[in-house]
Amino acid sequence: DLTDMVARERFDAVGLSAACETRAETIAAEIAALRAASLNPAMVVLVGGGLFNRYPELVKAVGADATAADGKGAVELGRRLVVSALQHS
């Protein structure tokens, strides 16, 4: 389980993907659990998938830091956000 992983190892970023039928409340609870368990208080959380493509306003509502249109964009955005977080810690 991802929550157990971030509790055992330090991660700079994690990414979650959600289909349109996924409930925003489920993703929000997962993100809250990840942040609470994380060894890294500045861990970046990226979200993507159909749910966020269709409703981009949910990104902040679920507690994520950002979204990207595809995997390549997520990696590039994740790198920038991690660098920024490291500079501000």
Side-chain angles (χ1 to χ4, degrees), residues 15-70:
L16 302 171
S17 180
C20 286
E21 54 276 350
T22 305
R23 294 178 50 89
E25 296 85 3
T26 302
I27 298 293
E30 179 69 19
I31 291 171
L34 288 168
R35 291 193 187 280
S38 179
L39 295 178
N40 179 2
M43 181 180 69
V44 171
V45 178
L46 297 164
V47 292
L51 180 66
F52 299 102
N53 289 339
R54 189 166 183 189
Y55 305 104
E57 67 276 8
L58 289 178
V59 173
K60 293 297 179 195
V62 299
D65 297 303
T67 188
D70 57 35

Side-chain angles (χ1 to χ4, degrees), residues 3-15:
T3 304
D4 292 336
M5 289 176 65
V6 301
R8 287 191 314 266
E9 268 183 78
R10 181 185 167 90
F11 285 83
D12 290 326
V14 296

Side-chain angles (χ1 to χ4, degrees), residues 55-86:
Y55 305 104
E57 67 276 8
L58 289 178
V59 173
K60 293 297 179 195
V62 299
D65 297 303
T67 188
D70 57 35
K72 182 178 179 182
V75 170
E76 293 169 6
L77 178 58
R79 283 184 183 141
R80 288 195 309 268
L81 291 172
V82 167
V83 167
S84 178
L86 290 172

